[in-house]
Amino acid sequence: MDLNFWGLAAGLATFFIIGAFHPIVIKAEYYFGKGCWWVFLLAGIVFAVLSLLVANTFGATILGVISFSCFWSILELFEQEKRVEKGWFPKNPRRK
C-alpha cells in the first residue's frame, strides 16, 4: 500500500497560509484601514485565475487556498476595524 502525502501537504500549507493572513489583515487595517479591501479582492481574483491556469494539481490547490484566503480577508478587515474600536487592537494615531 502506497501512502499519499499530498493531502497532508495541502493541509499543512493551508494551515500556514491562513496563519500568515492573520497578521497581514491586522497590519493592513492598521496602516490603511478597511478601505484597502479592494486589494484583497484583486489579489483573490488574480490567484483564482492563476489556480485555473496551473497544470499541477498541488500548485493549483495552494493557489486556490491563497485566493479564498484573500477573499475571506475582506470580511476580516471589517471585523478587525470593530476589534480596534473595542480596544482589542491598537489604533493607528496617524490615520483619521
mmCIF file of all heavy atoms in Angstrom, residues 12-47:
data_model
loop_
_atom_site.group_PDB
_atom_site.id
_atom_site.type_symbol
_atom_site.label_atom_id
_atom_site.label_comp_id
_atom_site.label_asym_id
_atom_site.label_seq_id
_atom_site.Cartn_x
_atom_site.Cartn_y
_atom_site.Cartn_z
ATOM 1 N N LEU A 12 -1.240 21.140 5.515
ATOM 2 C CA LEU A 12 -0.199 21.886 6.220
ATOM 3 C C LEU A 12 0.024 23.251 5.572
ATOM 4 O O LEU A 12 0.126 24.272 6.266
ATOM 5 C CB LEU A 12 1.099 21.085 6.235
ATOM 6 C CG LEU A 12 2.273 21.699 6.994
ATOM 7 C CD1 LEU A 12 1.938 21.827 8.480
ATOM 8 C CD2 LEU A 12 3.518 20.844 6.795
ATOM 9 N N ALA A 13 0.064 23.280 4.247
ATOM 10 C CA ALA A 13 0.228 24.552 3.540
ATOM 11 C C ALA A 13 -0.949 25.477 3.819
ATOM 12 O O ALA A 13 -0.759 26.684 4.032
ATOM 13 C CB ALA A 13 0.373 24.301 2.040
ATOM 14 N N THR A 14 -2.150 24.935 3.848
ATOM 15 C CA THR A 14 -3.347 25.734 4.151
ATOM 16 C C THR A 14 -3.253 26.323 5.549
ATOM 17 O O THR A 14 -3.571 27.494 5.769
ATOM 18 C CB THR A 14 -4.615 24.868 4.018
ATOM 19 O OG1 THR A 14 -4.694 24.387 2.674
ATOM 20 C CG2 THR A 14 -5.864 25.649 4.361
ATOM 21 N N PHE A 15 -2.807 25.517 6.495
ATOM 22 C CA PHE A 15 -2.626 25.969 7.877
ATOM 23 C C PHE A 15 -1.692 27.179 7.936
ATOM 24 O O PHE A 15 -1.992 28.191 8.578
ATOM 25 C CB PHE A 15 -2.081 24.810 8.716
ATOM 26 C CG PHE A 15 -1.767 25.157 10.134
ATOM 27 C CD1 PHE A 15 -2.780 25.313 11.059
ATOM 28 C CD2 PHE A 15 -0.455 25.319 10.537
ATOM 29 C CE1 PHE A 15 -2.492 25.627 12.381
ATOM 30 C CE2 PHE A 15 -0.158 25.634 11.852
ATOM 31 C CZ PHE A 15 -1.172 25.789 12.776
ATOM 32 N N PHE A 16 -0.556 27.096 7.232
ATOM 33 C CA PHE A 16 0.416 28.193 7.246
ATOM 34 C C PHE A 16 -0.079 29.415 6.470
ATOM 35 O O PHE A 16 0.189 30.553 6.861
ATOM 36 C CB PHE A 16 1.771 27.724 6.713
ATOM 37 C CG PHE A 16 2.529 26.903 7.710
ATOM 38 C CD1 PHE A 16 2.804 25.575 7.465
ATOM 39 C CD2 PHE A 16 2.955 27.457 8.912
ATOM 40 C CE1 PHE A 16 3.493 24.807 8.387
ATOM 41 C CE2 PHE A 16 3.649 26.695 9.840
ATOM 42 C CZ PHE A 16 3.923 25.369 9.584
ATOM 43 N N ILE A 17 -0.803 29.188 5.390
ATOM 44 C CA ILE A 17 -1.348 30.310 4.614
ATOM 45 C C ILE A 17 -2.354 31.091 5.447
ATOM 46 O O ILE A 17 -2.301 32.321 5.521
ATOM 47 C CB ILE A 17 -1.968 29.807 3.293
ATOM 48 C CG1 ILE A 17 -0.871 29.320 2.350
ATOM 49 C CG2 ILE A 17 -2.800 30.902 2.627
ATOM 50 C CD1 ILE A 17 -1.376 28.501 1.171
ATOM 51 N N ILE A 18 -3.271 30.382 6.083
ATOM 52 C CA ILE A 18 -4.261 31.049 6.931
ATOM 53 C C ILE A 18 -3.567 31.769 8.083
ATOM 54 O O ILE A 18 -3.912 32.903 8.423
ATOM 55 C CB ILE A 18 -5.304 30.040 7.449
ATOM 56 C CG1 ILE A 18 -6.161 29.546 6.282
ATOM 57 C CG2 ILE A 18 -6.174 30.654 8.543
ATOM 58 C CD1 ILE A 18 -7.059 28.380 6.629
ATOM 59 N N GLY A 19 -2.562 31.127 8.656
ATOM 60 C CA GLY A 19 -1.800 31.758 9.733
ATOM 61 C C GLY A 19 -1.071 33.004 9.280
ATOM 62 O O GLY A 19 -0.945 33.970 10.032
ATOM 63 N N ALA A 20 -0.605 33.026 8.046
ATOM 64 C CA ALA A 20 0.096 34.195 7.512
ATOM 65 C C ALA A 20 -0.867 35.351 7.249
ATOM 66 O O ALA A 20 -0.489 36.522 7.380
ATOM 67 C CB ALA A 20 0.835 33.826 6.236
ATOM 68 N N PHE A 21 -2.100 35.035 6.874
ATOM 69 C CA PHE A 21 -3.057 36.090 6.559
ATOM 70 C C PHE A 21 -3.554 36.827 7.800
ATOM 71 O O PHE A 21 -3.980 37.976 7.703
ATOM 72 C CB PHE A 21 -4.241 35.534 5.747
ATOM 73 C CG PHE A 21 -4.002 35.603 4.275
ATOM 74 C CD1 PHE A 21 -3.317 34.597 3.618
ATOM 75 C CD2 PHE A 21 -4.453 36.693 3.545
ATOM 76 C CE1 PHE A 21 -3.077 34.666 2.264
ATOM 77 C CE2 PHE A 21 -4.222 36.779 2.183
ATOM 78 C CZ PHE A 21 -3.536 35.760 1.537
ATOM 79 N N HIS A 22 -3.498 36.200 8.964
ATOM 80 C CA HIS A 22 -3.956 36.868 10.187
ATOM 81 C C HIS A 22 -3.171 38.156 10.445
ATOM 82 O O HIS A 22 -3.774 39.234 10.569
ATOM 83 C CB HIS A 22 -3.882 35.913 11.370
ATOM 84 C CG HIS A 22 -4.324 36.507 12.662
ATOM 85 N ND1 HIS A 22 -5.632 36.828 12.922
ATOM 86 C CD2 HIS A 22 -3.620 36.864 13.757
ATOM 87 C CE1 HIS A 22 -5.717 37.351 14.138
ATOM 88 N NE2 HIS A 22 -4.504 37.383 14.659
ATOM 89 N N PRO A 23 -1.831 38.119 10.511
ATOM 90 C CA PRO A 23 -1.106 39.379 10.720
ATOM 91 C C PRO A 23 -1.174 40.328 9.523
ATOM 92 O O PRO A 23 -1.098 41.547 9.695
ATOM 93 C CB PRO A 23 0.335 38.940 10.996
ATOM 94 C CG PRO A 23 0.431 37.550 10.518
ATOM 95 C CD PRO A 23 -0.944 36.965 10.564
ATOM 96 N N ILE A 24 -1.335 39.795 8.330
ATOM 97 C CA ILE A 24 -1.474 40.657 7.147
ATOM 98 C C ILE A 24 -2.723 41.524 7.279
ATOM 99 O O ILE A 24 -2.687 42.733 7.016
ATOM 100 C CB ILE A 24 -1.506 39.819 5.850
ATOM 101 C CG1 ILE A 24 -0.133 39.203 5.586
ATOM 102 C CG2 ILE A 24 -1.961 40.656 4.664
ATOM 103 C CD1 ILE A 24 -0.112 38.181 4.464
ATOM 104 N N VAL A 25 -3.821 40.923 7.691
ATOM 105 C CA VAL A 25 -5.070 41.671 7.870
ATOM 106 C C VAL A 25 -4.920 42.716 8.978
ATOM 107 O O VAL A 25 -5.353 43.866 8.823
ATOM 108 C CB VAL A 25 -6.248 40.721 8.173
ATOM 109 C CG1 VAL A 25 -7.466 41.479 8.660
ATOM 110 C CG2 VAL A 25 -6.582 39.892 6.953
ATOM 111 N N ILE A 26 -4.278 42.344 10.060
ATOM 112 C CA ILE A 26 -4.084 43.278 11.171
ATOM 113 C C ILE A 26 -3.260 44.484 10.721
ATOM 114 O O ILE A 26 -3.621 45.633 10.981
ATOM 115 C CB ILE A 26 -3.417 42.566 12.373
ATOM 116 C CG1 ILE A 26 -4.386 41.543 12.976
ATOM 117 C CG2 ILE A 26 -2.962 43.571 13.428
ATOM 118 C CD1 ILE A 26 -3.757 40.625 14.000
ATOM 119 N N LYS A 27 -2.158 44.228 10.030
ATOM 120 C CA LYS A 27 -1.302 45.322 9.556
ATOM 121 C C LYS A 27 -2.003 46.161 8.494
ATOM 122 O O LYS A 27 -1.861 47.387 8.474
ATOM 123 C CB LYS A 27 0.011 44.774 8.994
ATOM 124 C CG LYS A 27 0.887 44.111 10.022
ATOM 125 C CD LYS A 27 1.383 45.096 11.038
ATOM 126 C CE LYS A 27 2.328 44.416 12.013
ATOM 127 N NZ LYS A 27 2.736 45.292 13.102
ATOM 128 N N ALA A 28 -2.740 45.515 7.612
ATOM 129 C CA ALA A 28 -3.448 46.259 6.560
ATOM 130 C C ALA A 28 -4.466 47.206 7.168
ATOM 131 O O ALA A 28 -4.572 48.363 6.756
ATOM 132 C CB ALA A 28 -4.128 45.293 5.591
ATOM 133 N N GLU A 29 -5.200 46.738 8.162
ATOM 134 C CA GLU A 29 -6.197 47.602 8.809
ATOM 135 C C GLU A 29 -5.501 48.723 9.569
ATOM 136 O O GLU A 29 -5.952 49.862 9.552
ATOM 137 C CB GLU A 29 -7.082 46.787 9.758
ATOM 138 C CG GLU A 29 -8.342 47.516 10.206
ATOM 139 C CD GLU A 29 -8.096 48.603 11.244
ATOM 140 O OE1 GLU A 29 -7.182 48.441 12.085
ATOM 141 O OE2 GLU A 29 -8.812 49.627 11.223
ATOM 142 N N TYR A 30 -4.388 48.417 10.207
ATOM 143 C CA TYR A 30 -3.670 49.426 10.987
ATOM 144 C C TYR A 30 -3.152 50.554 10.091
ATOM 145 O O TYR A 30 -3.308 51.723 10.404
ATOM 146 C CB TYR A 30 -2.502 48.772 11.736
ATOM 147 C CG TYR A 30 -1.746 49.714 12.635
ATOM 148 C CD1 TYR A 30 -2.218 50.008 13.910
ATOM 149 C CD2 TYR A 30 -0.551 50.300 12.217
ATOM 150 C CE1 TYR A 30 -1.526 50.880 14.744
ATOM 151 C CE2 TYR A 30 0.145 51.168 13.044
ATOM 152 C CZ TYR A 30 -0.343 51.448 14.300
ATOM 153 O OH TYR A 30 0.335 52.319 15.125
ATOM 154 N N TYR A 31 -2.520 50.193 8.986
ATOM 155 C CA TYR A 31 -1.890 51.205 8.133
ATOM 156 C C TYR A 31 -2.826 51.833 7.106
ATOM 157 O O TYR A 31 -2.657 52.992 6.742
ATOM 158 C CB TYR A 31 -0.672 50.614 7.423
ATOM 159 C CG TYR A 31 0.481 50.378 8.373
ATOM 160 C CD1 TYR A 31 0.850 49.087 8.726
ATOM 161 C CD2 TYR A 31 1.175 51.437 8.936
ATOM 162 C CE1 TYR A 31 1.891 48.864 9.607
ATOM 163 C CE2 TYR A 31 2.213 51.224 9.824
ATOM 164 C CZ TYR A 31 2.573 49.934 10.146
ATOM 165 O OH TYR A 31 3.603 49.723 11.034
ATOM 166 N N PHE A 32 -3.789 51.061 6.617
ATOM 167 C CA PHE A 32 -4.614 51.554 5.513
ATOM 168 C C PHE A 32 -6.106 51.630 5.831
ATOM 169 O O PHE A 32 -6.862 52.227 5.076
ATOM 170 C CB PHE A 32 -4.409 50.674 4.275
ATOM 171 C CG PHE A 32 -2.963 50.525 3.895
ATOM 172 C CD1 PHE A 32 -2.321 49.311 4.054
ATOM 173 C CD2 PHE A 32 -2.254 51.594 3.394
ATOM 174 C CE1 PHE A 32 -0.989 49.170 3.710
ATOM 175 C CE2 PHE A 32 -0.922 51.472 3.051
ATOM 176 C CZ PHE A 32 -0.286 50.246 3.218
ATOM 177 N N GLY A 33 -6.549 50.984 6.888
ATOM 178 C CA GLY A 33 -7.973 50.962 7.212
ATOM 179 C C GLY A 33 -8.707 49.960 6.334
ATOM 180 O O GLY A 33 -8.128 49.275 5.503
ATOM 181 N N LYS A 34 -10.014 49.912 6.513
ATOM 182 C CA LYS A 34 -10.804 48.939 5.762
ATOM 183 C C LYS A 34 -10.929 49.305 4.290
ATOM 184 O O LYS A 34 -11.373 48.491 3.486
ATOM 185 C CB LYS A 34 -12.187 48.767 6.381
ATOM 186 C CG LYS A 34 -13.059 50.000 6.288
ATOM 187 C CD LYS A 34 -14.396 49.766 6.935
ATOM 188 C CE LYS A 34 -15.210 51.051 6.875
ATOM 189 N NZ LYS A 34 -16.452 50.934 7.593
ATOM 190 N N GLY A 35 -10.507 50.505 3.932
ATOM 191 C CA GLY A 35 -10.599 50.952 2.543
ATOM 192 C C GLY A 35 -9.698 50.193 1.588
ATOM 193 O O GLY A 35 -9.839 50.327 0.368
ATOM 194 N N CYS A 36 -8.811 49.381 2.106
ATOM 195 C CA CYS A 36 -7.919 48.605 1.225
ATOM 196 C C CYS A 36 -8.505 47.238 0.882
ATOM 197 O O CYS A 36 -7.806 46.387 0.330
ATOM 198 C CB CYS A 36 -6.543 48.459 1.860
ATOM 199 S SG CYS A 36 -6.498 47.426 3.330
ATOM 200 N N TRP A 37 -9.783 47.044 1.152
ATOM 201 C CA TRP A 37 -10.424 45.748 0.886
ATOM 202 C C TRP A 37 -10.298 45.339 -0.575
ATOM 203 O O TRP A 37 -10.188 44.157 -0.887
ATOM 204 C CB TRP A 37 -11.899 45.770 1.297
ATOM 205 C CG TRP A 37 -12.740 46.696 0.467
ATOM 206 C CD1 TRP A 37 -13.016 48.004 0.731
ATOM 207 C CD2 TRP A 37 -13.379 46.390 -0.772
ATOM 208 N NE1 TRP A 37 -13.790 48.528 -0.273
ATOM 209 C CE2 TRP A 37 -14.026 47.560 -1.213
ATOM 210 C CE3 TRP A 37 -13.466 45.239 -1.560
ATOM 211 C CZ2 TRP A 37 -14.748 47.607 -2.389
ATOM 212 C CZ3 TRP A 37 -14.194 45.286 -2.738
ATOM 213 C CH2 TRP A 37 -14.826 46.466 -3.143
ATOM 214 N N TRP A 38 -10.295 46.324 -1.475
ATOM 215 C CA TRP A 38 -10.244 46.023 -2.903
ATOM 216 C C TRP A 38 -8.909 45.376 -3.304
ATOM 217 O O TRP A 38 -8.845 44.640 -4.289
ATOM 218 C CB TRP A 38 -10.511 47.290 -3.728
ATOM 219 C CG TRP A 38 -9.503 48.372 -3.485
ATOM 220 C CD1 TRP A 38 -9.571 49.364 -2.544
ATOM 221 C CD2 TRP A 38 -8.273 48.552 -4.171
ATOM 222 N NE1 TRP A 38 -8.454 50.155 -2.612
ATOM 223 C CE2 TRP A 38 -7.636 49.683 -3.605
ATOM 224 C CE3 TRP A 38 -7.656 47.876 -5.213
ATOM 225 C CZ2 TRP A 38 -6.401 50.134 -4.048
ATOM 226 C CZ3 TRP A 38 -6.420 48.332 -5.646
ATOM 227 C CH2 TRP A 38 -5.805 49.457 -5.065
ATOM 228 N N VAL A 39 -7.852 45.623 -2.536
ATOM 229 C CA VAL A 39 -6.564 44.985 -2.819
ATOM 230 C C VAL A 39 -6.686 43.478 -2.593
ATOM 231 O O VAL A 39 -6.190 42.674 -3.394
ATOM 232 C CB VAL A 39 -5.449 45.592 -1.939
ATOM 233 C CG1 VAL A 39 -4.140 44.850 -2.131
ATOM 234 C CG2 VAL A 39 -5.290 47.076 -2.221
ATOM 235 N N PHE A 40 -7.366 43.098 -1.511
ATOM 236 C CA PHE A 40 -7.584 41.679 -1.236
ATOM 237 C C PHE A 40 -8.480 41.055 -2.306
ATOM 238 O O PHE A 40 -8.266 39.912 -2.709
ATOM 239 C CB PHE A 40 -8.187 41.479 0.154
ATOM 240 C CG PHE A 40 -7.207 41.728 1.263
ATOM 241 C CD1 PHE A 40 -7.204 42.928 1.953
ATOM 242 C CD2 PHE A 40 -6.277 40.763 1.622
ATOM 243 C CE1 PHE A 40 -6.307 43.165 2.983
ATOM 244 C CE2 PHE A 40 -5.370 40.981 2.642
ATOM 245 C CZ PHE A 40 -5.377 42.198 3.327
ATOM 246 N N LEU A 41 -9.475 41.807 -2.761
ATOM 247 C CA LEU A 41 -10.348 41.313 -3.832
ATOM 248 C C LEU A 41 -9.554 41.084 -5.112
ATOM 249 O O LEU A 41 -9.653 40.015 -5.729
ATOM 250 C CB LEU A 41 -11.495 42.292 -4.085
ATOM 251 C CG LEU A 41 -12.446 41.922 -5.224
ATOM 252 C CD1 LEU A 41 -13.192 40.636 -4.907
ATOM 253 C CD2 LEU A 41 -13.415 43.072 -5.488
ATOM 254 N N LEU A 42 -8.754 42.056 -5.484
ATOM 255 C CA LEU A 42 -7.946 41.941 -6.702
ATOM 256 C C LEU A 42 -6.958 40.787 -6.594
ATOM 257 O O LEU A 42 -6.811 39.986 -7.531
ATOM 258 C CB LEU A 42 -7.216 43.262 -6.964
ATOM 259 C CG LEU A 42 -6.438 43.363 -8.257
ATOM 260 C CD1 LEU A 42 -7.367 43.240 -9.455
ATOM 261 C CD2 LEU A 42 -5.686 44.682 -8.311
ATOM 262 N N ALA A 43 -6.291 40.685 -5.451
ATOM 263 C CA ALA A 43 -5.345 39.591 -5.247
ATOM 264 C C ALA A 43 -6.057 38.241 -5.293
ATOM 265 O O ALA A 43 -5.544 37.278 -5.890
ATOM 266 C CB ALA A 43 -4.615 39.756 -3.914
ATOM 267 N N GLY A 44 -7.240 38.159 -4.697
ATOM 268 C CA GLY A 44 -8.006 36.913 -4.730
ATOM 269 C C GLY A 44 -8.372 36.507 -6.144
ATOM 270 O O GLY A 44 -8.285 35.329 -6.506
ATOM 271 N N ILE A 45 -8.757 37.478 -6.944
ATOM 272 C CA ILE A 45 -9.108 37.184 -8.345
ATOM 273 C C ILE A 45 -7.873 36.720 -9.112
ATOM 274 O O ILE A 45 -7.929 35.745 -9.877
ATOM 275 C CB ILE A 45 -9.758 38.416 -9.003
ATOM 276 C CG1 ILE A 45 -11.132 38.673 -8.374
ATOM 277 C CG2 ILE A 45 -9.878 38.232 -10.515
ATOM 278 C CD1 ILE A 45 -11.742 40.012 -8.750
ATOM 279 N N VAL A 46 -6.753 37.408 -8.911
ATOM 280 C CA VAL A 46 -5.510 37.024 -9.601
ATOM 281 C C VAL A 46 -5.109 35.603 -9.224
ATOM 282 O O VAL A 46 -4.784 34.783 -10.103
ATOM 283 C CB VAL A 46 -4.375 38.027 -9.283
ATOM 284 C CG1 VAL A 46 -3.022 37.490 -9.732
ATOM 285 C CG2 VAL A 46 -4.659 39.373 -9.923
ATOM 286 N N PHE A 47 -5.125 35.279 -7.937
ATOM 287 C CA PHE A 47 -4.754 33.929 -7.513
ATOM 288 C C PHE A 47 -5.752 32.882 -8.006
ATOM 289 O O PHE A 47 -5.369 31.751 -8.301
ATOM 290 C CB PHE A 47 -4.578 33.857 -5.996
ATOM 291 C CG PHE A 47 -3.251 34.396 -5.526
ATOM 292 C CD1 PHE A 47 -3.184 35.601 -4.854
ATOM 293 C CD2 PHE A 47 -2.075 33.706 -5.765
ATOM 294 C CE1 PHE A 47 -1.972 36.117 -4.419
ATOM 295 C CE2 PHE A 47 -0.861 34.204 -5.344
ATOM 296 C CZ PHE A 47 -0.798 35.414 -4.670
#
